[in-house]
Amino acid sequence: MKKLSLLGALLVSCLSIGTALAQEAPMKKSDGMLVSESGMTLYTFDKDAAGSGKSVCNGGCATLWPPAMASASAKDNGDYSVVTRDDGSKQWAFKGKPLYTYAQDKKAGDHTGDNFKDVWHAVKN
């Protein structure tokens, strides 16, 4: 019986750790830029107001600039926060600015969207 209780406690501990890790923003730095877990460059959009909790890039804009999606249970973590999109889905933000990838970036490390129309910027960190 003690072995079963110990196993249960261990399982609960492991699940708690896994949940905590899943809530962290899936971003990292590469060559001085912020990138997604898959290495794709992350961008901000000048028309998004920092700290507004919203993204103004929806519809066709979001097709060309896919949002860096967060899980429904994601929580703010340091410089990373979660904003709610018009459709109710969640998106990661960095220092209050929603994050996006660029559909024309084909492989990790591409940053062809940097300074696109002078309103899209790779996040340099």
Side-chain angles (χ1 to χ4, degrees):
M1 192 67 158
K2 278 189 172 182
K3 286 183 182 179
L4 188 55
S5 294
L6 182 58
L7 182 60
L10 184 59
L11 181 60
V12 168
S13 295
C14 289
L15 289 174
S16 297
I17 291 169
T19 300
L21 292 175
Q23 292 175 352
E24 291 184 27
M27 316 302 165
K28 57 186 179 179
K29 297 174 190 172
S30 178
D31 294 327
M33 289 187 281
L34 200 60
V35 298
S36 68
E37 276 291 304
S38 60
M40 300 307 287
T41 301
L42 292 166
Y43 299 89
T44 57
F45 184 35
D46 285 349
K47 294 182 181 183
D48 284 328
S52 70
K54 293 186 58 74
S55 163
V56 297
C57 180
N58 295 286
C61 177
T63 301
L64 187 58
W65 297 92
M69 300 306 292
S71 70
S73 63
K75 304 284 185 222
D76 295 357
N77 182 8
D79 284 335
Y80 299 98
S81 57
V82 179
V83 300
T84 302
R85 299 185 50 74
D86 286 355
D87 64 4
S89 62
K90 305 295 184 181
Q91 178 179 359
W92 285 111
F94 181 70
K95 297 184 178 179
K97 297 279 284 187
L99 294 171
Y100 307 85
T101 56
Y102 182 44
Q104 298 302 312
D105 285 349
K106 300 302 179 191
K107 64 184 182 319
D110 284 355
H111 50 91
T112 61
D114 196 18
N115 295 315
F116 184 81
K117 295 190 177 183
D118 294 323
V119 295
W120 289 96
H121 308 284
V123 180
K124 296 172 179 82
N125 192 351

